[in-house]
Each structure stands twice: as C-alpha cells, then as structure tokens.
Amino acid sequence: MMYPKTVYIHTIGCQMNVYDSERIAGGLAPLGYRQVSEPESADLVILNTCAIREKAEQKVFSFLGRMAGLKRKNPELIIGVGGCVAQQEGRKILDRAPYLDLVFGTHAVSRLPVLIQQVETTGGRLVDVALSDTIQESPIYAASPNLDQISRFVTIMQGCDNYCTYCVVPYVRGREMSRSPERILSEIQALADAGIREVTLLGQNVNSYGKKEGLCDFSELLTRVNGIEGLLRIRFTTSHPKDLSDDLIATFNRLDKLCKHIHLPVQSGSTRILSRMNRKYTRDMYLEKIARLRDACPDIAITSDIIVGFPGETPEDFEDTLSLIRQVAYDGLFAFMYSDRPNAPAAHFPEKISEAEKAERLQRVLGLQETLTLEKNQSLVHSVQVVLVEGVSQRMNASEASPETTPQWYGRTPGHKIVHFPERERLGASGNLGRLKTIRIEKAFSHSLWGRPVSQEE
Ligand code: 5AD
Ligand code: SF4
C-alpha cells in the first residue's frame, strides 16, 4: 500500500468518537492517507467533535481557530469537521469557519472517503448531515496506528431513544439502532487476530441491544463474544439502570472473559430530579439494582456519572446525591456541571443554578469520591488481582531506567483500576504487553495500586 498523503485526526469527546475516528482512518487508508500525529505536516485535517456539554463545543471552535492559521500557510490543506457538533450545526459551521471544506455528520462516517474524493477533485465546500434509519457500515479495519495498543472500542449500537431531558445524544446521533451480531463478531475476531486482547462494547444503552431489530439480546451477544479466540477480556458501557436485567447480572458470573465492572450512571440521588431528568427510575429502584448486582457478584466494581446543578436542584436534592454516593460507595465517578444544550428540553426548564453554585457542588462530589476511591483501593491491599498488561509506566520508562532499576509496568484489574508493578527480568517491550499477570497488591493510592507479580514472591 502506498501512502502518498497524510491525515491528522483530532478527536474530542466520548469512546464512540474514538471508535468513529478509527473508522475514519480505516476509510481514508485506501485513498492513500497515512495518519500523522501533528496537523502541521498534514494534507488533510479531520476534527471529530462532541456536543455533550458547552465546554466540549468550545474546544471545537478553538481548535478550528488554530486550523485557520494552517490553511493560510497551506491553501491546499483540506479541513473537515465531523461528529456531534457537525450534526447539530450542519451548514452553519461553514459560515462560521470560511476555511472549512467539509462538514459531515454522525451517520456520514462510511461516506467520508467519497466526500473527501469529491473535495479533492472539485474543491467544493460540502455538507452531509443526513441521518438514516439503517446502520451505515464501514469495511472492517483492524489495523491500528499504535502497535502497542491492546484494547479497542467496538460500537455495537448507535443513537438513543431515551430522551433524558438534559441530553443532546438522541438529536445528534439519531434513534437507537443495533449492528448485526455477525458484523460485530467478525470485527472483534479481526481485532483479536491483529493482536487486540480486550474490547469494550459501546452503546448508549447496551441493555436494549438488538431488541428493536429482533436480533439476539445483549447477554447472548456477550456469550458469543466470549467465545472469540485470542480475546482475553470484554467490557461494555453504558447500561441504563432502568433496563439492567437479572439475566445480564448473571452473565458476570457465567462468562470468564467479562470483567466484573459495570458503569451504571445514576445522574442524581434525588427521585424528584430523576423524574425531571426523565430517567424512568427512582432512587430506591436504583439502589435495588445495586443490591442485586452485589448479591450476585460481591466483588464487582461499580462506577457512575453524576450531573450537579440540574435546573431546580435544591440543596436537599443535592444532599440526596451525596448520600447516595456514600451509600453505594462507588469505585469511581465522573461528575459534571449541568450544561444547557440547544436541543434538549431542560434548556427551557426554570430555576437554573448559578455557575458558582454548580462549581461548589461539583467540588463536594469530587472530594467525597476521592475519599471513597482511596478507601476502596486500600481495601484491595493484600488481595490478588489479575492484570492485563498495557505498557511500561510513564514515570519509569524501561529504556530510561538504569540497569539496576527494575522496570515498572502497568495494567488494569477487571475493575479497571490501574496497577503498577516491577518486573525483575527485563523483558523486551513486547514480552509483557497484552498478557494477563497475577499481582499481589501491596500499596494503594487514590488513582492507582502497586504490587508485585505473584510468581516473584518469596
Ligand atoms: N450537562 C452536563 N452533563 C451532561 N451529561 C449528558 N448531558 C449533559 C449535560 N447537558 C453527562 C451525563 C452522561 C455523561 C456522558 O455526560 O452524566 O451520563
Ligand atoms: Fe443521553 Fe439519556 Fe440516551 Fe444516555 S440514555 S445518551 S443520557 S438520552
């Protein structure tokens, strides 16, 4: 394969965008585009955007500002904007950024190669933000620009039908649609054949996988992925609490490759706010699901998303969120200040919370979680964890360390916690990568664990 041209892909946002950027790279390779890590040397720049909060959207326009300068220096440079902001704003982005060549929406990724060829030949300014009601598949692309990569995302469904009142996803990613199990399985098999050892299956609400289309259900899909040779670990995200079934809970014990970790976004601990968010569960229903998970699987790691300062969130509602966080004692949390989104109904809800108040509530959530995470991590000291090795620790790179210093490696537990460990023998960079190692944990920090390989214990 000849690669006469170069593309720089900049990704903002969630794991689904990371996956789409890989599809973008895969689609452009046959056109002769090789990926580079700096926009300065590229013939083509693609920006994959996120619209989930205002801050993410601001990043899009500041990046585009930088690209304007590059285009002045190199008028031949082609610049395209894709993803959720492209879908949301469409042609308006072309007006705002006169140096842009192409705007392509969330359903246009598979058409990107054709669009780029059009821009290359006609030089026009194109917009493709059509949303379709069938999945637009791309050819499977297993090669990775990063040879050390052992974990990849695989989108199994796109869009969302839940319409939480704060959320832009149903408007920018369209209605929920599931990919066929055959496509998913052959894609994961190709990844495993290319050396990938872990996949994370992605969907806005994986519990409803296949239901609309009458495909197999999510537990069945997991069971089939579990059978893929060469693959060591399976993760998935995200589960909607209202749809988490006992059947799915049972799969954690049934499938050996499925990591005992669930990301179960609660958003708020107040039933009143949950109802205004259109989440379709109460605080008690959520806690009941947590109890079932822990009954079935006592050592499961549980993480969540929290929004603070949703319109009308009183100090009492916020206390309910704090008490729920304490009660569940999450392994980790992502917390966000509520942000108005143009299409989402909550943008029109009264009783907005001030930015200062939202910032204070966010700090309280993060402070509480930091204590809880450290406690969780400390409870793992002396335990034995199976870690999938991802690489050499940044701070102590094997090549930089003196011969006397034992190189430090890192990997993750099934619960997604980072573990650093020394390896007495100096293995070649590829020796440890992508292997499962049994580590006895000796030290706990707030963001990681440290231990020694069990085989080396004396
Ligand atoms: N404001 C703040 N956070 C939001 N999220 C989604 N929409 C918004 C919004 N408008 C958060 C939710 C979701 C996560 C991916 O982003 O917590 O689970
Ligand atoms: Fe957004 Fe709710 Fe769908 Fe998640 S489930 S993508 S928060 S609408």
Side-chain angles (χ1 to χ4, degrees):
M1 180 89 219
M2 282 282 292
Y3 293 100
K5 296 175 280 190
T6 54
V7 57
Y8 173 73
I9 304 176
H10 187 78
T11 309
I12 301 174
C14 70
Q15 298 150 329
M16 227 166 246
N17 270 9
V18 174
Y19 176 76
D20 283 344
S21 288
E22 268 153 14
R23 287 172 67 207
I24 289 171
L28 291 173
L31 267 56
Y33 282 100
R34 171 173 56 86
Q35 245 181 299
V36 289
S37 55
E38 292 297 332
E40 282 73 19
S41 60
D43 300 303
L44 168 64
V45 170
I46 299 286
L47 174 59
N48 197 358
T49 63
C50 171
I52 197 90
R53 283 170 291 276
E54 203 181 342
K55 247 199 199 147
E57 222 176 296
Q58 284 162 356
K59 278 194 207 160
V60 172
F61 290 99
S62 74
F63 181 85
L64 278 179
R66 264 176 67 200
M67 293 307 103
L70 283 187
K71 183 92 168 197
R72 268 195 300 275
K73 278 189 223 144
N74 172 16
E76 301 291 297
L77 175 66
I78 300 173
I79 307 176
V81 175
C84 295
V85 177
Q87 189 65 47
Q88 180 180 281
E89 302 295 318
R91 185 165 292 280
K92 279 188 269 172
I93 309 185
L94 282 189
D95 301 336
R96 199 166 155 179
Y99 43 86
L100 260 190
D101 298 285
L102 170 68
V103 175
F104 63 104
T106 54
H107 287 197
V109 171
S110 63
R111 294 189 291 274
L112 184 67
V114 175
L115 294 166
I116 291 294
Q117 277 175 316
Q118 257 174 288
V119 176
E120 283 176 342
T121 51
T122 63
R125 306 184 76 206
L126 302 181
V127 180
D128 179 351
V129 288
L131 287 180
S132 39
D133 49 17
T134 52
I135 296 249
Q136 307 293 304
E137 291 283 355
S138 302
I140 288 173
Y141 178 66
S144 164
N146 177 359
L147 293 175
D148 288 349
Q149 206 175 23
I150 51 146
S151 183
R152 284 274 283 266
F153 301 121
V154 175
T155 292
I156 61 164
M157 50 206 300
Q158 61 183 45
C160 186
D161 287 349
N162 287 304
Y163 295 97
C164 301
T165 53
Y166 51 81
C167 186
V168 74
V169 168
Y171 311 98
V172 295
R173 294 245 172 210
R175 306 301 305 267
E176 182 187 290
M177 284 186 270
S178 298
R179 296 178 69 199
S180 85
E182 289 73 28
R183 294 277 323 180
I184 296 167
L185 289 160
S186 42
E187 181 166 335
I188 299 174
Q189 183 67 67
L191 290 173
D193 293 345
I196 296 297
R197 294 290 163 256
E198 175 182 87
V199 289
T200 304
L201 308 183
L202 302 178
Q204 299 300 341
N205 179 12
V206 293
N207 311 101
S208 59
Y209 172 81
K211 283 198 181 137
K212 258 174 137 171
E213 291 84 359
L215 305 168
C216 71
D217 69 10
F218 186 55
S219 311
E220 169 68 20
L221 180 71
L222 284 172
T223 307
R224 291 170 69 178
V225 175
N226 197 69
I228 290 179
E229 215 174 300
L231 192 70
L232 298 177
R233 280 188 169 174
I234 309 166
R235 301 180 181 277
F236 63 82
T237 194
T238 294
S239 304
H240 194 304
K242 77 177 163 63
D243 296 319
L244 176 63
S245 65
D246 287 345
D247 183 37
L248 182 59
I249 293 175
T251 58
F252 282 109
N253 289 321
R254 197 161 53 75
L255 303 178
D256 60 323
K257 294 180 186 173
L258 183 61
C259 289
K260 290 193 167 69
H261 171 209
I262 189 163
H263 185 63
L264 200 63
V266 66
Q267 313 297 359
S268 167
S270 153
T271 294
R272 199 180 69 85
I273 294 295
L274 287 170
S275 152
R276 291 188 178 209
M277 288 176 162
N278 192 30
R279 291 291 288 178
K280 304 187 186 82
Y281 54 84
T282 62
R283 174 193 176 96
D284 288 345
M285 284 158 72
Y286 182 87
L287 289 171
E288 160 78 19
K289 300 269 180 178
I290 297 287
R292 280 171 192 251
L293 275 164
R294 290 207 165 123
D295 267 355
C297 205
D299 55 346
I300 194 164
I302 305 178
T303 54
S304 197
D305 291 345
I306 298 278
I307 296 177
V308 299
F310 186 79
E313 184 187 74
T314 63
E316 293 73 38
D317 292 319
F318 178 62
E319 288 304 324
D320 284 348
T321 295
L322 293 176
S323 76
L324 180 131
I325 294 171
R326 261 184 231 109
Q327 202 171 329
V328 177
Y330 289 109
D331 290 81
L333 264 189
F334 297 96
F336 310 101
M337 294 198 276
Y338 168 78
S339 163
D340 273 340
R341 299 287 68 216
N343 288 312
H348 307 291
F349 287 7
E351 304 170 70
K352 292 276 154 58
I353 309 299
S354 74
E355 290 301 304
E357 181 63 33
K358 283 194 276 191
E360 198 186 312
R361 290 181 190 181
L362 181 70
Q363 285 316 311
R364 287 183 64 194
V365 167
L366 296 176
L368 169 59
Q369 185 56 43
E370 190 153 324
T371 313
L372 293 170
T373 306
L374 186 58
E375 279 172 22
K376 279 266 152 165
N377 287 353
Q378 281 163 344
S379 74
L380 294 176
V381 171
H382 306 309
S383 75
V384 166
Q385 299 285 328
V386 179
V387 163
L388 179 61
V389 183
E390 289 181 24
V392 173
S393 303
Q394 286 288 316
R395 266 171 299 166
M396 207 187 278
N397 192 295
S399 59
E400 291 166 6
S402 70
E404 299 79 51
T405 323
T406 315
Q408 303 276 316
W409 297 77
Y410 74 96
R412 283 177 198 267
T413 67
H416 214 234
K417 295 184 196 310
I418 291 182
V419 177
H420 296 273
F421 63 93
E423 186 77 87
R424 195 169 291 172
E425 279 171 65
R426 298 195 53 161
L427 296 175
S430 56
N432 253 347
L433 273 186
R435 277 208 262 154
L436 292 173
K437 273 224 117 79
T438 310
I439 310 286
R440 189 180 304 279
I441 304 301
E442 293 184 16
K443 293 181 204 162
F445 309 98
S446 45
H447 299 286
S448 65
L449 301 163
W450 189 91
R452 277 177 220 279
V454 166
S455 56
Q456 290 177 16
E457 283 177 337
E458 276 133 34

